[in-house]
Amino acid sequence: MDRSVEPEPGAGPGGHATAPTRASTLRIATAGSVDDGKSTLIGRLLLDSKQVFADQLRHVEEASRRRGDGYVDLALLTDGLRAEREQGITIDVAYRYFATPRRRFIVADTPGHARYTRNMVTGASTADVSLILLDARKGVVEQTKRHAFVSALVGVRHLVICVNKLDLVDWSERVFDEIVSDFGDFAAKLELGEVTFIPISALHGDNVVERSGNTPWYDGPPLLYHLEHLHVASDRNLVDCRFPVQWVIRPLDDEHSGYRGYAGQVASGVFRAGDEVVVLPSGERTRIAGIDGPEGELEEAFPPMSVALRLADDVDVSRGDVICRPDNRPTRARDIEAMVCWMSERPLRPGQRLHLKHTTRWTQVTVEDVRYRVDVETLHRDRGADRLELNDIGRVHLRTSSLLLVDDYRRNRQMGSFILVDEATNDTVAAGMISAIVTGDGAREAGRSPNVVWQPSAIERPERWRALGACGATVWLTGLPASGKSTIGAALERALVERGAHAYMLDGDNLRHGLNGNLGFSAEDRSENIRRTAEVARLFADAGSIAIVTLVSPYRSDRERARELHARDGLEFVEVHVDTPLEECERRDPKGLYARARRGELTGMTGVDDPYEPPEQPDLTIAGGEPGEAVARILEELERRGIVAP
């Protein structure tokens, strides 16, 4: 569990002073089955963190007495609708705000009933963490799986599973461990990040704000401490600079004569005065002359700041345009594939026409096809489905009437999401997450160059591989600098060649002598370095060679995209984490980089002043000790997969 501390307001990604931001605000979506205690837990958090006024508490006490509860029902602090109080369930998404000296919190109390899955999507779509409650007596139920799936679908990177009502099972450690195991089996099928389990009693406050003596077998922190120290700053996409223009500011008064600013919210990336940018879809290039915030001029802007950009040149910019970096642009698309949660009583069917809102742009859209519907309990894809009913989640093909500028949702939540609106009623009927662009050759991931067609070889892969007597694959070694990746990679290359296999090592430093020679070590350049290397490795693998990639590749999302690139082409990808402790890497320091970084002569050094995100589920984890032992283990994995012969 990451307990690192986020930067205080006033410190931006580049370390410069900026206007106060929401960097220390945590957005939480609560979920769980009906009567699992979500509203009670939020009420307990509010009460025990001293966020409830005395008159509010007296009102809740009186309401509890009138209902004959026999105890103070803290759920009444959040169940605001009369129907909710009468039925004892949450129907609408209720937002609550509270703060501790450590952090500010925005809590979305979402409904637990399956009928209100759409409300769960609404609450989780902007959340940093999903807090899923389950009843210790019932264990992992269908709604637990539904809410975990929705959290993974909308890109929530942190899950906290609160096993509630443990007091009703005598604080059984065995019950808690069984629930952890059952949920872990299901979660393994999802693309989830950090998952934390906490045993609690929301009614009595055990392990909510203070550690409970009733769970001596639990050595983790209480819930509030975990939420206060949860590190989410690195979840933001600071690589892909995207600024959808919401409004053009041109004051008419004499004092601001000649001022022209382009207002909006930074979707991703970091913008600084002097940066070269391009305005899409026109393609006009210019530079940022200045950045204005609510309290004056800023040095930089990053998500989720709302600012106005001033440009150096008089270019044509209007609402719906996107300002980005010239060498890192979103994809132009009219045909997209997306996962959608349908929110209307009227089913979604092919041929339907709707309005689509993407960032600050509106367009009409036609539903071309329903690819499949997902059974959220089993995760089975029903490819025979021809419609989506209320609260169904499925993949659809949409065609827009005008151009969209999009990113894959998994990479960029803001540029990859949209809503669908009924043309007749103006009701929001769906929330969508873009997963692919559709071309004449089928679906492809967002992020490729437009107006190009893949030229197929005259030789099919099976024929090529049979002629070579080889199978292609990529072995991707990642780890801290000086962890031993290159040494292991070179030894693996020799071992494979001696076996008669086609193998070639793509070392990070070697690639920067040519192919990636124009890249630096910023977050953007590191990401592009990985992208180019992954593309080359894919070509090697397709040709029947085993590409051995030895790169620090510090960011988890970049490595995941490399894996996905191979998976789409049906190629084997073996991620090997060379897990050498930082202290040992610094002791080795063959290039003297750690020493220079510690002296302040070098910035952006992974492991010193730049983060390394270790793989969560690598195919193989090895220590960077004896290269021969590491090579033997990698060869065993390649043999197991049938890539090389035993």
Side-chain angles (χ1 to χ4, degrees):
M1 180 177 61
D2 191 341
R3 301 184 189 176
S4 54
V5 181
E6 285 191 90
E8 293 298 319
H16 302 295
T18 65
T21 72
R22 294 190 296 175
S24 60
T25 298
L26 188 73
R27 301 181 68 96
I28 305 170
T30 63
S33 190
V34 173
D35 200 32
D36 277 351
K38 301 181 301 300
S39 299
T40 301
L41 176 61
I42 297 173
R44 174 61 64 184
L45 279 170
L46 294 173
L47 179 64
D48 288 2
S49 61
K50 316 300 182 187
Q51 304 294 314
V52 179
F53 292 112
D55 59 338
Q56 287 179 296
L57 185 58
R58 284 195 300 270
H59 176 73
V60 169
E61 290 172 342
E62 177 61 23
S64 300
R65 186 189 61 78
R66 289 197 306 268
R67 286 160 46 114
D69 289 334
Y71 60 91
V72 178
D73 187 358
L74 298 176
L76 299 179
L77 288 169
T78 56
D79 287 343
L81 300 179
R82 181 176 180 181
E84 293 177 334
R85 295 191 174 210
E86 290 175 349
Q87 298 178 54
I89 64 171
T90 301
I91 296 174
D92 199 5
V93 179
Y95 289 92
R96 292 295 179 267
Y97 309 86
F98 72 99
T100 67
R102 185 83 186 185
R103 184 174 240 166
R104 298 186 297 273
F105 300 91
I106 302 174
V107 183
D109 184 15
T110 65
H113 197 282
R115 179 175 177 79
Y116 303 107
T117 298
R118 61 191 185 277
N119 301 62
M120 166 63 183
V121 173
T122 300
S125 61
T126 58
D128 301 306
V129 56
S130 279
L131 199 159
I132 300 178
L133 273 80
L134 53 84
D135 190 326
R137 299 168 299 176
K138 302 174 184 177
V140 179
V141 298
E142 178 182 351
Q143 278 300 88
T144 309
K145 297 177 180 179
R146 178 182 294 269
H147 292 143
F149 173 74
V150 170
S151 298
L153 180 69
V154 301
V156 179
R157 305 216 179 158
H158 307 274
L159 258 68
V160 179
I161 310 300
C162 291
V163 183
N164 193 22
K165 304 187 181 182
L166 266 176
D167 54 309
L168 301 182
V169 294
D170 297 325
W171 303 102
S172 171
E173 181 181 8
R174 178 186 59 80
V175 170
F176 179 76
D177 289 342
E178 288 176 355
I179 290 172
V180 170
S181 177
D182 290 346
F183 185 86
D185 291 342
F186 176 77
K189 306 172 187 176
L190 302 175
E191 293 184 14
L192 292 173
E194 178 190 36
V195 181
T196 302
F197 297 85
I198 302 178
I200 68 167
S201 170
L203 183 63
H204 302 294
D206 294 84
N207 289 331
V208 177
V209 173
E210 301 291 340
R211 283 285 300 273
S212 171
N214 291 317
T215 55
W217 41 265
Y218 172 67
D219 59 2
L223 175 62
L224 183 60
Y225 181 93
H226 177 69
L227 296 177
E228 284 182 320
H229 293 78
L230 189 65
H231 182 68
V232 296
S234 61
D235 295 345
R236 297 175 297 172
N237 182 337
L238 300 178
V239 175
D240 305 307
C241 293
R242 308 284 189 263
F243 185 82
V245 177
Q246 185 174 1
W247 196 254
V248 180
I249 303 175
R250 294 196 65 189
L252 300 178
D253 59 306
D254 294 337
E255 182 181 355
H256 300 94
S257 177
Y259 181 92
R260 184 191 293 256
Y262 304 100
Q265 185 180 61
V266 180
S268 57
V270 181
F271 291 87
R272 298 182 178 88
D275 284 351
E276 185 181 6
V277 293
V278 62
V279 179
L280 299 177
S282 68
E284 294 186 81
R285 295 195 181 204
T286 182
R287 291 188 177 275
I288 298 176
I291 304 173
D292 298 322
E295 299 180 4
E297 191 166 356
L298 305 171
E299 293 186 29
E300 61 183 18
F302 49 88
M305 295 173 66
S306 295
V307 298
L309 301 184
R310 287 179 280 113
L311 303 181
D313 302 298
D314 187 12
V315 296
D316 182 18
V317 185
S318 58
R319 176 182 172 88
D321 289 354
V322 175
I323 298 175
C324 61
R325 294 284 179 81
D327 298 325
N328 184 343
R329 309 185 185 197
T331 302
R332 300 167 181 257
R334 278 197 171 93
D335 283 74
I336 60 175
E337 288 202 0
M339 297 295 295
V340 300
C341 176
W342 189 246
M343 304 178 179
S344 173
E345 299 279 358
R346 178 188 173 194
L348 176 144
R349 292 188 177 93
Q352 245 174 295
R353 291 181 61 83
L354 301 161
H355 286 304
L356 181 147
K357 184 177 186 291
H358 174 258
T359 62
T360 57
R361 180 183 289 269
W362 284 91
T363 185
Q364 284 190 321
V365 67
T366 302
V367 181
E368 293 293 311
D369 187 26
V370 176
R371 301 296 199 200
Y372 56 79
R373 182 182 62 83
V374 178
D375 183 324
V376 297
E377 183 175 9
T378 65
L379 302 184
H380 171 70
R381 297 178 179 181
D382 180 9
R383 299 189 182 275
D386 61 354
R387 68 181 67 184
L388 295 181
E389 303 283 354
L390 175 66
N391 290 315
D392 276 349
I393 296 173
R395 181 160 173 150
V396 299
H397 172 195
L398 305 174
R399 176 169 295 163
T400 63
S401 61
S402 60
L403 187 74
L404 292 181
L405 300 164
V406 305
D407 288 316
D408 186 304
Y409 182 82
R410 290 167 296 180
R411 183 179 181 92
N412 195 326
R413 287 174 96 177
Q414 285 69 33
M415 295 296 293
S417 61
F418 60 86
I419 60 171
L420 296 177
V421 177
D422 187 282
E423 293 181 313
T425 65
N426 209 35
D427 292 335
T428 299
V429 294
M433 290 129 291
I434 297 169
S435 52
I437 307 303
V438 181
T439 66
D441 298 324
R444 63 173 175 84
E445 184 181 1
R448 305 280 184 86
S449 299
N451 305 318
V452 295
V453 177
W454 182 267
Q455 178 61 44
S457 171
I459 305 173
E460 296 293 331
R461 183 187 296 166
E463 180 185 356
R464 184 191 307 278
W465 285 11
R466 280 196 303 271
L468 293 173
C471 294
T474 291
V475 178
W476 193 286
L477 287 86
T478 175
L480 289 166
S483 60
K485 301 180 300 298
S486 298
T487 302
I488 294 170
L492 176 62
E493 180 184 34
R494 173 169 291 280
L496 287 168
V497 170
E498 288 177 350
R499 284 188 174 210
H502 296 258
Y504 192 82
M505 185 171 72
L506 299 172
D507 184 72
D509 280 5
N510 293 352
L511 292 171
R512 286 182 178 273
H513 277 77
L515 176 67
N516 298 337
N518 64 326
L519 299 177
F521 291 90
S522 65
E524 296 93 335
D525 284 355
R526 288 178 189 269
S527 184
E528 175 63 11
N529 184 44
I530 303 306
R531 189 194 69 79
R532 293 183 191 179
T533 304
E535 291 283 359
V536 172
R538 179 182 65 86
L539 294 175
F540 269 77
D542 183 55
S545 293
I546 298 175
I548 304 166
V549 176
T550 55
L551 287 177
V552 173
S553 43
Y555 307 132
R556 192 176 297 125
S557 60
D558 292 331
R559 298 192 302 268
E560 288 172 355
R561 281 191 290 274
R563 180 187 292 276
E564 291 163 6
L565 180 69
H566 286 69
R568 285 200 310 272
D569 280 0
L571 295 166
E572 291 281 357
F573 183 92
V574 183
E575 184 181 40
V576 179
H577 180 204
V578 183
D579 189 13
T580 306
L582 176 61
E583 296 77 13
E584 174 61 17
C585 294
E586 289 204 53
R587 187 193 64 78
R588 296 175 180 177
D589 201 11
K591 302 173 187 176
L593 299 180
Y594 284 107
R596 290 180 58 196
R598 296 298 184 190
R599 292 195 300 267
E601 301 172 1
L602 181 68
T603 60
M605 178 67 180
T606 303
V608 178
D609 59 352
D610 207 57
Y612 175 75
E613 300 174 355
E616 293 176 337
Q617 292 182 320
D619 299 298
L620 197 61
T621 299
I622 58 179
E626 173 57 40
E629 295 178 5
V631 168
R633 291 193 59 199
I634 297 173
L635 289 174
E636 287 178 4
E637 178 66 16
L638 298 181
E639 291 172 1
R640 187 185 68 80
R641 296 189 182 206
I643 297 171
V644 297

